Amino acid sequence: MRGSSRLFYLRVSSQMSTARTGVLPTRRRGRDRVAAILDAAAAVFAERGFDAATMTEIASAACTAIGSLYRFFPNKDLLADAVFSRYADSMLDTLDVLVLQAPLLGPEALAEALVASGLQQRPYRDAAVALADERNEGPLLRKALRASIRDKVGLILAAATGLPATQAARMAPMVLQAMKAAPVLLREGLDPEAVVAEARRMIACYVAGSMQPACTAAGR
Amino acid sequence: MRGSSRLFYLRVSSQMSTARTGVLPTRRRGRDRVAAILDAAAAVFAERGFDAATMTEIASAACTAIGSLYRFFPNKDLLADAVFSRYADSMLDTLDVLVLQAPLLGPEALAEALVASGLQQRPYRDAAVALADERNEGPLLRKALRASIRDKVGLILAAATGLPATQAARMAPMVLQAMKAAPVLLREGLDPEAVVAEARRMIACYVAGSMQPACTAAGR
Amino acid sequence: MRGSSRLFYLRVSSQMSTARTGVLPTRRRGRDRVAAILDAAAAVFAERGFDAATMTEIASAACTAIGSLYRFFPNKDLLADAVFSRYADSMLDTLDVLVLQAPLLGPEALAEALVASGLQQRPYRDAAVALADERNEGPLLRKALRASIRDKVGLILAAATGLPATQAARMAPMVLQAMKAAPVLLREGLDPEAVVAEARRMIACYVAGSMQPACTAAGR
Amino acid sequence: MRGSSRLFYLRVSSQMSTARTGVLPTRRRGRDRVAAILDAAAAVFAERGFDAATMTEIASAACTAIGSLYRFFPNKDLLADAVFSRYADSMLDTLDVLVLQAPLLGPEALAEALVASGLQQRPYRDAAVALADERNEGPLLRKALRASIRDKVGLILAAATGLPATQAARMAPMVLQAMKAAPVLLREGLDPEAVVAEARRMIACYVAGSMQPACTAAGR
DNA sequence: AATGAATGAGCCTTCATTCAT
DNA sequence: TATGAATGAAGGCTCATTCAT
C-alpha cells in the first residue's frame, strides 16, 4: 500500500497549477485496471525507452482503451513517474532498512544487499533503468526520487564504512552506477550469475578499499 | 583517417542488401561538410538524446541544408552510428595501445588510463553516452562497436591482471560500466574532480581486488 | 412552466425520426436536477463558448454525474438548445408584452425596453450570445427561435413606428443586432453605463430616424 | 504589399520567447501556396468558426499537405491571426483614409463609407466576423487589431461629429457592432440591398443624432 | 434511476524523408 | 550538387457518448 500512497501524493506535488491529477480508482475494477496499466507501461518503457514508447502501445498492452489510460494517468510523463516511483518506492524502503543494518555489515554483505535492492521488482527495474537517464526537464518526480535514493545510499555508505558524510556522498553516485550496471547488463543477456557476482565484487572492493587508508591514498 | 575508413567499412557491413551507403565525400569541401555535420550531430545528440534530436536541428546547427545532410547520411540511425563510431574508433585506438601497456601497469595506473580513455573527445563522448543506451533494434553499428570495445577491455584486463581470459571477460562489462559512469555523472553536473577520482578508485579497487585471491574468494 | 413546455415541444419538433428526446423529469428531484444542469450549462457556455465547453465540466458544475446529464439532455446540441431556449422564451414573453405597448412608446422608451429585454436573465443571456453565433448546421432549435424573435421585433417596430410591415421587417435584424451589442460589449468589460446608454441611443435614433421621411430618404 | 508586411511583422511581435514564426515564402511557388492556404483558411473559418475548423480541412481545401500548412503557419492560432489580419489590415488602411476625409463627410456619407469598409475582401470578412468573437486568451494578434480598429473608428467619429474624443470613444464600439452587423446578416442570406441600406441608415441616424444636442439629451 | 468507468474517433502537431528546382 | 519545400504517417491527448454496475 505504501508505494501506492506515496505515488499519488507525490504525483500531486509534482504538478504545477494546472495539475489534473488523474483519478484515484475507487472501485475494484479500477484498481485492477491501474495495476494492469502500470505493468504494461513498465514493460513498454523497459523495451523501448521513454521517447519511443507510445501511449497507444501501452494502452493496448494493458488491454485498455487509450481514453482509460488517460483517465488514470493524465499524460505520459506522469505515467512514467508512476512506473518509476513504484520501483523507487520499494527501493527506498529496502534502503531504509539497510541504513539501520549497515553498521553491522561487512563490505561483501553490504554489496550483496545493495545489488539485491537494485534487482527487485523485475518488470519495473528495467523500466526504471530506461527511465532514469531521460533528459526531460520540468518538475518531474523522477529527478526527486533519484536524488533521494542517492542520498540514502550515501547514508548507508557512511554508516557502513565509518567514513565522513562528505566522503560517503562522493562515493554514492558511483555505487549507484554500479548497482544500476547489474540490471543493464542482465538486460543485454549476459550470464546472470556472472553479472551479479561481479557487480557485488566491484562494490565490495570499492567499499573495502575506501576503508583502507592505503587504497584511498593510492586512488588519488 | 582511420576512423573515417572504419566508419564507412562497417557501415556497409552492418547494412543488408538494401543499404544505401551515403556518399563518400571526394572533394575538400565535402570533407569539411561531413565534419561539420558530425560535430553538430554530436552536440545535438548529446544535448537531447537520440529520439528528441531532430534532423532539422542538426542540419541547421551544421549550417547545412537538410538535403545535404541526407546526402551524406541517408538516415538518422546511420548518422547516429557515424557519431558513435567516431567516438568508439578513437577509444578503440586508445585501447589498442593500452593492450600493449597493460602488463606494465598497476591497478591505479590502469584505472586512470581506462577512465581517461572514456573521457576523450568531449563533444562526442556525451553523444556516445546518450546513444549507447538506445534500445533500437535492427542491424546497427553501435552494437558491434560496443562489443569490440568490451572485448578489448577484456584483453586489457587479462594482460594487466594475469587472470584467465574467461575471468577477464566476466569483468570487462562491469569495468566498462564504471568507465561510462564518469561521463554520465559529469553531465549531471557533479564535481568533476570528485567524479573522476572516484571512478578511478572504483576500477582500481576492483582490479586490485581481483588479483588477491582473498577478495576474489570473498566475492563469491 | 412555459419555458419548459415550449422547450420540450420544440425539441421534439426540431428532431427527425431518430431523435431521442430526453426524459421529462416527473419527480421533484428531477426538476431540480434539470434546473441545476441548465444553470451550469449556461454558465459554462457563457464562459467558454459552445465548442470549448465540455459536457464533463457542465456536469460537474451542476454537481451531477455525467450519466445523469445525458439522461435529461441526450447530446450537447440539445443541451445548448435548451439553454438558448430558456433565454429566448423569456425574451419572447417580454416581446409579446412590448407588442401591445409599442403603439404608446416613443423611440426612447422603445429603445430602452428593447435593450432591457436583451439584458435579462444574466447568466443565460451571455450563454445565448455565445450560442447565437455558432455555425452549426442541422435541424437546431436555435435557428427557429432566432427567427421568431426577429419576427416579433418586426411586429413591435411596425406597431411603434406605424411603418408598413415590410419596412419594419427590414429593420428588425439590425435592431436585433444592436440589442445584442449590449451584452457583447458588456462581456468585454466596457463600462456598463456607457454601453447601455449608447445601445439605447443607437436604437432610438434609428427608430426615430425611420419615422422622419427626411432621414429615411437620406439613407437611400 | 502592405498587408503582407504588416502581417509578418505583427506575427512575430505577438509571439513570446518560444516563437517559431513560420517561414516567409521565398520562392514564387511558396508565395502562391501561402495565398491558397489563406484563402482556404478564410473559407473554412468563415464556414465553421475557429474551434470547429480543423487544420486538416483547411489543408485539404488548400490542396496542400498538412505539413506544408504548418510550415508557413506554425499553429492554428497564428493561422487565424494571419487570416484576421489580412482583413483587418485592409480595413485599417481604409479607415486611415477615412480619418482624413471624415471632417468633410455628412452622416450619410460617413455611414456609407464605414459600412463599405466592413464589406471589403469578401471571403475574409466573413472569416473575420467568425474569428472576432473567439474567447481565446493569450497574446493573440486578433485582440490587438480589434483594439486598433476600435480606436481608429473613434478617431473618425470625433473628426466627423466634432464631439470630444471621450464621447466618440463611447460610440465607437456600437458603430463597430453595427458595421459588423452587415456581414453577419448577409451571411444569413438576407436581402443584400436591404441589409446594406439599413446598416447605413442605422449608423447615419446614430451619428446624426449624436450631433443634435436634443437627441443626445434624450438618449440619456 | 444514478453513477462514473470505458470507449475510440478525431484533433493538433511533429518530423523523418523525398524530390523538384 | 545543393537547396529547402512538400509529404504524410504517427504521436499525444481530448471529449462526446455509451453502458455495466
Side-chain angles (χ1 to χ4, degrees):
Chain A
M1 218 58 7
R2 170 157 181 211
S4 184
S5 62
R6 200 191 297 220
L7 160 63
F8 284 99
Y9 168 75
L10 283 175
R11 182 188 297 166
V12 170
S13 74
S14 74
Q15 288 297 296
M16 56 262 94
S17 47
T18 35
R20 271 174 308 143
T21 312
V23 171
L24 299 283
T26 52
R27 313 204 181 158
R28 180 68 200 293
R29 183 121 142 282
R31 203 99 39 75
D32 295 347
R33 175 90 30 144
V34 165
I37 290 173
L38 280 178
D39 287 348
V44 175
F45 283 135
E47 175 67 22
R48 303 222 190 285
F50 180 81
D51 281 320
T54 77
M55 294 298 266
T56 304
E57 182 179 1
I58 291 172
S60 88
C63 299
T64 304
I66 185 73
S68 303
L69 175 49
Y70 276 90
R71 177 173 188 78
F72 296 111
F73 302 96
N75 63 51
K76 198 180 176 182
D77 258 318
L78 255 18
L79 176 56
D81 276 354
V83 167
F84 188 81
S85 129
R86 165 125 158 206
Y87 172 77
D89 278 345
S90 88
M91 171 157 242
L92 283 170
D93 288 344
T94 307
L95 294 181
D96 279 337
V97 175
L98 266 187
V99 171
L100 303 178
Q101 300 178 332
L104 310 171
L105 261 30
E108 284 82 21
L110 181 65
E112 180 168 349
L114 287 172
V115 170
S117 75
L119 290 175
Q120 296 173 315
Q121 301 251 132
R122 184 56 208 284
Y124 286 87
R125 79 166 191 233
D126 288 336
V129 166
L131 257 16
D133 297 321
E134 286 308 317
R135 282 160 167 64
N136 291 323
E137 67 293 317
L140 300 180
L141 180 48
R142 281 162 264 172
K143 295 203 165 158
L145 286 174
R146 233 135 61 196
S148 319
I149 291 176
R150 185 166 291 178
D151 291 346
K152 204 146 286 183
V153 169
L155 254 47
I156 293 171
L157 290 175
T161 60
L163 290 169
T166 353
Q167 169 66 1
R170 275 167 62 111
M171 297 173 60
M174 281 303 301
V175 171
L176 229 18
Q177 291 291 126
M179 288 164 61
K180 201 172 76 173
V184 166
L185 297 176
L186 250 24
R187 239 196 74 91
E188 291 185 23
L190 300 193
D191 169 36
E193 275 209 41
V195 163
V196 171
E198 296 301 322
R200 284 176 186 164
R201 221 157 53 70
M202 176 172 263
I203 294 175
C205 292
Y206 183 47
V207 170
S210 304
M211 300 171 75
Q212 302 164 350
C215 187
T216 314
R220 192 60 291 249
Chain B
M1 220 52 15
R2 174 167 175 204
S4 184
S5 64
R6 198 190 301 218
L7 160 62
F8 285 98
Y9 169 74
L10 281 175
R11 183 188 297 166
V12 170
S13 75
S14 73
Q15 292 293 304
M16 310 124 295
S17 46
T18 42
R20 268 166 311 140
T21 312
V23 172
L24 291 290
T26 48
R27 321 267 175 89
R28 178 70 199 293
R29 186 132 136 276
R31 203 101 41 72
D32 294 347
R33 177 78 45 114
V34 166
I37 290 174
L38 280 179
D39 287 348
V44 175
F45 283 136
E47 173 70 21
R48 305 219 191 287
F50 179 81
D51 283 310
T54 75
M55 295 299 266
T56 303
E57 181 179 3
I58 290 170
S60 89
C63 300
T64 304
I66 182 78
S68 303
L69 173 51
Y70 271 88
R71 174 156 201 82
F72 296 114
F73 302 95
N75 65 50
K76 197 180 177 182
D77 259 318
L78 256 18
L79 175 56
D81 276 353
V83 167
F84 188 81
S85 129
R86 164 130 159 204
Y87 172 77
D89 277 345
S90 89
M91 171 156 243
L92 283 171
D93 288 345
T94 306
L95 294 181
D96 279 339
V97 175
L98 266 187
V99 171
L100 303 177
Q101 300 178 330
L104 310 172
L105 263 30
E108 284 82 22
L110 180 66
E112 180 168 349
L114 287 173
V115 170
S117 74
L119 289 175
Q120 297 174 315
Q121 301 253 132
R122 184 59 207 285
Y124 285 86
R125 81 166 189 235
D126 288 335
V129 166
L131 293 174
D133 297 322
E134 289 304 322
R135 280 156 172 66
N136 293 322
E137 64 292 316
L140 300 179
L141 179 50
R142 278 164 262 174
K143 294 201 166 160
L145 285 175
R146 235 137 56 195
S148 319
I149 292 176
R150 185 166 291 176
D151 290 346
K152 204 145 287 182
V153 170
L155 254 45
I156 292 170
L157 289 175
T161 60
L163 290 169
T166 356
Q167 169 65 2
R170 279 167 58 114
M171 295 173 62
M174 280 303 300
V175 171
L176 230 16
Q177 290 292 126
M179 289 164 61
K180 200 174 76 173
V184 166
L185 297 176
L186 252 24
R187 235 197 78 91
E188 291 186 21
L190 299 194
D191 169 37
E193 275 209 43
V195 162
V196 172
E198 296 301 322
R200 284 175 185 163
R201 220 156 55 68
M202 177 172 264
I203 293 176
C205 292
Y206 183 48
V207 170
S210 305
M211 300 169 76
Q212 303 162 349
C215 188
T216 315
R220 199 56 295 253
Chain C
M1 216 55 13
R2 172 163 177 207
S4 185
S5 63
R6 201 191 298 220
L7 159 63
F8 285 98
Y9 169 74
L10 281 175
R11 182 187 295 165
V12 170
S13 74
S14 74
Q15 292 293 303
M16 309 123 298
S17 46
T18 43
R20 269 166 310 138
T21 311
V23 172
L24 292 289
T26 47
R27 320 266 176 92
R28 180 68 199 293
R29 187 131 135 274
R31 204 102 39 75
D32 294 347
R33 179 78 46 114
V34 166
I37 290 174
L38 280 178
D39 287 349
V44 175
F45 283 136
E47 174 70 19
R48 303 221 191 287
F50 179 80
D51 282 310
T54 75
M55 295 298 267
T56 303
E57 182 179 1
I58 291 170
S60 90
C63 299
T64 304
I66 183 77
S68 303
L69 174 49
Y70 272 88
R71 176 158 200 79
F72 296 114
F73 302 96
N75 65 49
K76 198 180 177 182
D77 259 320
L78 257 16
L79 176 56
D81 276 355
V83 167
F84 188 82
S85 125
R86 164 130 158 204
Y87 172 78
D89 278 346
S90 89
M91 172 155 241
L92 284 171
D93 288 345
T94 306
L95 294 181
D96 279 339
V97 175
L98 266 188
V99 171
L100 303 179
Q101 300 178 331
L104 310 173
L105 263 29
E108 285 82 22
L110 180 66
E112 180 169 348
L114 286 173
V115 169
S117 74
L119 289 175
Q120 295 175 316
Q121 301 252 130
R122 185 58 209 283
Y124 284 87
R125 81 163 190 235
D126 287 336
V129 166
L131 258 17
D133 297 322
E134 288 305 321
R135 280 157 171 65
N136 292 322
E137 64 292 317
L140 299 179
L141 178 50
R142 279 164 264 175
K143 295 200 166 162
L145 286 175
R146 235 138 55 196
S148 319
I149 292 176
R150 185 166 291 175
D151 290 346
K152 205 145 288 182
V153 170
L155 254 46
I156 293 171
L157 289 175
T161 60
L163 291 170
T166 355
Q167 169 65 1
R170 277 167 62 114
M171 296 173 62
M174 280 305 299
V175 170
L176 229 18
Q177 289 293 126
M179 289 165 61
K180 200 173 78 173
V184 166
L185 297 176
L186 251 23
R187 236 197 78 92
E188 290 185 25
L190 300 192
D191 170 36
E193 275 208 43
V195 162
V196 171
E198 296 301 321
R200 283 175 186 164
R201 220 156 55 69
M202 176 172 263
I203 295 176
C205 292
Y206 183 48
V207 170
S210 303
M211 301 170 75
Q212 303 162 349
C215 188
T216 316
R220 192 64 283 258
Chain D
M1 218 52 14
R2 169 155 180 213
S4 186
S5 64
R6 199 190 300 218
L7 160 64
F8 284 99
Y9 168 75
L10 283 174
R11 184 189 296 166
V12 170
S13 75
S14 76
Q15 288 297 297
M16 53 265 93
S17 47
T18 34
R20 269 174 310 142
T21 311
V23 171
L24 297 283
T26 52
R27 313 202 181 159
R28 181 66 201 295
R29 181 120 143 284
R31 203 98 41 73
D32 295 348
R33 176 88 32 140
V34 166
I37 290 174
L38 280 179
D39 287 349
V44 175
F45 282 136
E47 175 70 20
R48 305 223 189 285
F50 180 81
D51 282 317
T54 80
M55 293 299 264
T56 304
E57 181 178 2
I58 291 171
S60 88
C63 298
T64 304
I66 184 74
S68 303
L69 175 51
Y70 275 89
R71 178 172 188 78
F72 297 111
F73 302 96
N75 62 51
K76 197 180 176 182
D77 258 318
L78 255 18
L79 175 56
D81 276 355
V83 167
F84 189 82
S85 130
R86 165 127 160 207
Y87 171 77
D89 277 345
S90 88
M91 171 157 243
L92 284 170
D93 287 345
T94 306
L95 294 181
D96 279 336
V97 175
L98 266 188
V99 171
L100 302 177
Q101 300 178 332
L104 310 172
L105 261 32
E108 283 81 21
L110 180 66
E112 179 168 350
L114 287 173
V115 170
S117 76
L119 289 175
Q120 295 175 317
Q121 301 253 132
R122 184 54 209 285
Y124 286 86
R125 78 168 192 231
D126 288 335
V129 166
L131 257 18
D133 298 321
E134 285 308 316
R135 283 161 168 64
N136 290 323
E137 68 291 316
L140 300 180
L141 179 50
R142 280 164 265 170
K143 294 202 167 160
L145 286 175
R146 233 137 57 195
S148 319
I149 292 177
R150 186 167 290 180
D151 290 345
K152 204 144 285 182
V153 169
L155 253 47
I156 292 171
L157 290 176
T161 59
L163 290 170
T166 355
Q167 169 65 1
R170 278 166 61 113
M171 296 173 62
M174 280 304 299
V175 170
L176 229 18
Q177 291 291 126
M179 288 163 63
K180 201 173 77 174
V184 166
L185 298 176
L186 251 23
R187 240 196 73 92
E188 291 184 25
L190 299 194
D191 169 37
E193 275 208 43
V195 163
V196 171
E198 296 302 320
R200 284 175 184 165
R201 221 155 54 69
M202 176 172 265
I203 294 176
C205 293
Y206 183 48
V207 171
S210 304
M211 300 169 76
Q212 303 163 349
C215 186
T216 315
R220 191 64 287 255

